[in-house]
Amino acid sequence: MNVYHQLIENPLFFKWIYHNSPEINDYWEHFLDEHPDDADVIREFKAGFEQHLQYDDHQLSAKEKKDLAIRILKKIEQVDHKKKYRKTIRLTMRYAATAILFLMVGSAVTWYFLEDTISNRYASFPAPQSLNIQEPTLIIDEKQEVALSKGKSELEYSEEGKIIIDKQQVIEDDVTDEVKMNTLVIPYGNHSTITLSDGTKVWLNAGSRLIYPSRFIDKNREVMLIGEAFFDVSKMEEKPFTVKTPDIEVHVLGTKFNVSAYPDENVAHTVLTEGSVEISHKSQGVFDRNIVLKPGQLAAYNKQNSSTNIYDVETEYFTSWKEGYLTFTNSDLNRVVKKLERYYNIHMKYEDPLDGSLRISGKLDISKDRDVVFEYMNSLTGLNFEKINERNYLIK
C-alpha cells in the first residue's frame, strides 16, 4: 500500500482537511517529522485535495470522501510528468543564469562560489545517526578516528596545536602542517563540549555533528553544523564567525546563540541569548535581506516554503539542555518526547497518537537516570511511559 492509499484509509487525514484543530495539526506535524521522505507527497496530496474540494463535510459520506480522494489522486498522477518537465526547464535556466553570472562578475565572485561549494561538501553529509559511527567520535582530517567518552565528552584545542580530550588524553597536531578539517560526531544518547582554536566554546547536543578546521587562518571563521549546538563565540572583529547548516547560515562577530538544524525536522531554529546575529538561508534571492536577531528572539526557518518567522521567547526553553535539563511551558508532548528520544537514544510509540498533542509545562532534570525522569513524566502527563526494552517505550 503506497502513501496515498494509507492516507485515504486514515480517518485523521480527512479530519485534517474538514475539521482541523491544534491537536490534529500537531499530530500531522509530528507525523511529517517522523516520515520526512513522505512529507512533500503528503502536503501535495492535501493541497490537491483542498484545491478540488467542492463539498463540505456534511454532504459527503466516508465512502464518498474516499472516492473523491481517489479521483484527485488520478489527477495528480496525470500532471506529475508535466511537473517533472517544468522542473527540468527551471533547473536548466538556473544553471544558465549561474554561468552568465560567473562570466559577468569575474574571478573574485567565482572564487566565492567555489569556496561555498567546498563548504557544502561537508555540510551535505548525512546525519550522525545514519553514519556507521555508533559511538562519540572525533575524526581528524577525515582519516584518523579517535573514540571519545560515552555520555559526556570534552575537547579543547590549544594555541600550540594540541587536542586535549577530557583533560587527560593529548593529541599532537603540528601547526606547521596544512589546516585539517575535523569532524566531531555525537550520536543520540551523548553530548559534548568543544573549545575551538580561537577560544569559541560549543556545546553539541545529541544526534549532532560539527565540522571545523583545526585552526582558523583565513579572514573568516567557518564551521558546519548538522543537529543542535549552543555557541559562545570569541569576539574577533577582523574575523567574523559563521555557522553553516544545510539550510541556513548564522553570521556573528562575538555572541551567544543556539542553532537547531536537525535533518529530520521541517524547521531550523536560531535563538539569540546575547549580542547580535545575522541569518541568511540557502534559497533566498539576490535581493532578499538577511535577518538580524536581537537577544531574546527566535528565528524559525521553514524548510518547506523557505519562510522565516521571528518570535520573542524565553531563551531558557531552547538552551537549558546544555545545563542538563529541559524546560517547557504549554508545549505539546510530541516535542518533549522527541527531545527525550534524542537525549537517551530511545524510541517512544503512542498507543493513541492524539496523546502527542497534550499540552504540558514543567522542568526535567535529564542528568538523572531515565527511569526517574519517566516517573516524573507519568505524574506530569497522567499517561504511563511503559518500558518495553532498553531502547523502546510505549506511551499509553
Side-chain angles (χ1 to χ4, degrees), residues 118-396:
I118 293 172
S119 299
N120 287 337
R121 178 166 61 93
Y122 294 99
S124 61
F125 282 175
Q129 61 272 17
S130 63
L131 298 172
N132 292 324
I133 299 177
Q134 304 300 323
E135 308 294 344
T137 304
L138 171 64
I139 304 174
I140 301 176
D141 200 27
E142 301 186 65
K143 301 172 184 177
Q144 179 184 357
E145 293 189 7
V146 180
L148 305 176
S149 300
K150 294 182 180 179
K152 182 179 180 180
S153 58
E154 182 178 352
L155 288 80
E156 182 178 357
Y157 283 72
S158 70
E159 295 180 357
E160 296 78 20
K162 297 179 180 179
I163 306 175
I164 305 170
I165 301 176
D166 293 333
K167 298 182 179 179
Q168 297 177 349
Q169 182 181 357
V170 178
I171 299 176
E172 299 287 345
D173 183 17
D174 191 349
V175 296
T176 61
D177 290 343
E178 293 184 1
V179 174
K180 297 180 177 65
M181 188 62 70
N182 298 337
T183 304
L184 179 57
V185 181
I186 304 298
Y188 287 164
N190 302 270
H191 57 284
S192 181
T193 59
I194 177 173
T195 302
L196 302 176
S197 61
D198 65 337
T200 293
K201 189 169 183 179
V202 185
W203 288 257
L204 204 62
N205 206 351
S208 303
R209 183 158 49 94
L210 185 72
I211 305 155
Y212 58 94
S214 56
R215 60 189 187 280
F216 298 101
I217 61 173
D218 297 326
K219 62 181 180 179
N220 295 314
R221 295 173 290 167
E222 183 179 283
V223 301
M224 277 65 76
L225 170 69
I226 294 179
E228 182 172 21
F230 182 90
F231 294 85
D232 186 350
V233 178
S234 294
K235 189 171 184 179
M236 300 174 63
E237 293 186 2
E238 72 282 6
K239 285 189 176 184
F241 193 97
T242 299
V243 179
K244 290 192 172 187
T245 79
D247 300 289
I248 63 172
E249 296 182 6
V250 183
H251 312 277
V252 301
L253 293 177
T255 187
K256 298 179 182 180
F257 60 98
N258 193 87
V259 178
S260 180
Y262 285 102
D264 60 350
E265 292 188 345
N266 293 324
V267 179
H269 295 107
T270 303
V271 178
L272 182 64
T273 63
E274 182 180 307
S276 177
V277 299
E278 186 178 77
I279 303 171
S280 61
H281 59 85
K282 299 295 178 64
S283 59
Q284 72 183 39
V286 176
F287 300 105
D288 290 339
R289 292 184 178 181
N290 294 343
I291 294 171
V292 178
L293 284 189
K294 299 178 181 178
Q297 288 187 327
L298 174 147
Y301 172 74
N302 189 307
K303 302 175 186 179
Q304 300 296 323
N305 56 26
S306 300
S307 65
T308 302
N309 293 318
I310 308 298
Y311 304 95
D312 292 324
V313 297
E314 292 291 336
T315 59
E316 182 186 23
Y317 173 83
F318 300 92
T319 64
S320 61
W321 61 265
K322 69 184 182 69
E323 307 297 338
Y325 60 92
L326 298 179
T327 302
F328 40 93
T329 303
N330 196 32
S331 300
D332 64 271
L333 182 60
N334 278 330
R335 299 185 184 280
V336 178
V337 164
K338 189 66 176 179
K339 292 177 183 292
L340 292 174
E341 285 181 322
R342 290 192 180 118
Y343 191 86
Y344 292 114
N345 192 22
I346 58 176
H347 177 70
M348 298 186 187
K349 183 179 180 180
Y350 293 97
E351 188 172 67
D352 181 356
L354 287 179
D355 285 339
S357 62
L358 178 67
R359 296 282 176 172
I360 58 174
S361 300
K363 186 175 182 178
L364 292 177
D365 185 352
I366 51 180
S367 64
K368 293 183 178 180
D369 184 82
R370 68 185 184 188
D371 290 337
V372 175
V373 172
F374 291 148
E375 284 182 10
Y376 177 73
M377 290 295 294
N378 289 341
S379 61
L380 182 66
T381 63
L383 301 173
N384 182 30
F385 287 66
E386 181 179 315
K387 184 177 181 180
I388 307 301
N389 52 46
E390 283 301 312
R391 296 290 301 278
N392 292 278
Y393 282 75
L394 177 64
I395 303 174
K396 60 181 185 177

Side-chain angles (χ1 to χ4, degrees), residues 81-95:
H81 71 281
K82 295 182 180 179
K83 291 184 178 179
K84 292 181 179 178
Y85 174 77
R86 291 168 184 163
K87 183 177 181 181
T88 301
I89 295 296
R90 287 197 300 269
L91 287 174
T92 303
M93 295 300 293
R94 184 183 302 173
Y95 293 143

Side-chain angles (χ1 to χ4, degrees), residues 8 14 61-72:
I8 294 172
F14 293 105
S61 65
K63 182 179 182 304
E64 289 171 331
K65 292 177 187 176
K66 291 183 180 181
D67 291 341
L68 177 60
I70 292 173
R71 292 199 300 271
I72 294 169

